[in-house]
Amino acid sequence: MDTATTPNRQRVWVTTAEACTALGMSRETLRQLRLRGVLQPGKHYRRWGCTQGRGPLQWHLENVEATITGWSRRNLRG
C-alpha cells in the first residue's frame, strides 16, 4: 500500500489522557460526567482489553465534545 496516496485516518477512540488534553478537562471531570450519566457507554466511552469489564477507558472525542457542549449550555442558563 502506498502511504503517499493513503489519507491519514484519525482515530475515533482515544485514551483518557488524550481525551483530557484534547478537551481541556481533567480526568475527574470526565469521570464525574460519566458517573452522572451525561456520558454514556458505547456512545461516549468504552472499555477495552480482556480484563472482565475493568479495562482502561477509551473516549469518542466527537461524541463527547458534542454532548458536553450542549449539556454545558443547558446547565449554565440562569
Side-chain angles (χ1 to χ4, degrees):
M1 183 180 284
D2 185 4
T3 56
T5 59
T6 304
N8 289 336
R9 285 185 51 195
Q10 191 174 26
R11 289 184 314 162
V12 174
W13 296 94
V14 298
T15 66
T16 299
E18 291 167 325
C20 290
T21 299
L23 298 167
M25 61 178 55
S26 69
R27 288 176 176 264
E28 182 60 21
T29 299
L30 277 177
R31 180 179 169 275
Q32 287 299 318
L33 291 170
R34 181 174 58 86
L35 293 176
R36 292 178 185 176
V38 175
L39 302 178
Q40 302 168 355
K43 179 178 180 179
H44 300 105
Y45 66 91
R46 67 181 183 185
R47 292 207 181 267
W48 62 282
C50 298
T51 56
Q52 299 177 350
R54 296 193 48 86
L57 294 173
Q58 288 185 322
W59 301 88
H60 192 288
L61 281 179
E62 186 176 315
N63 290 347
V64 172
E65 189 168 33
T67 297
I68 61 174
T69 298
W71 182 82
S72 295
R73 287 183 184 146
R74 282 191 307 276
N75 288 294
L76 294 175
R77 288 184 187 150

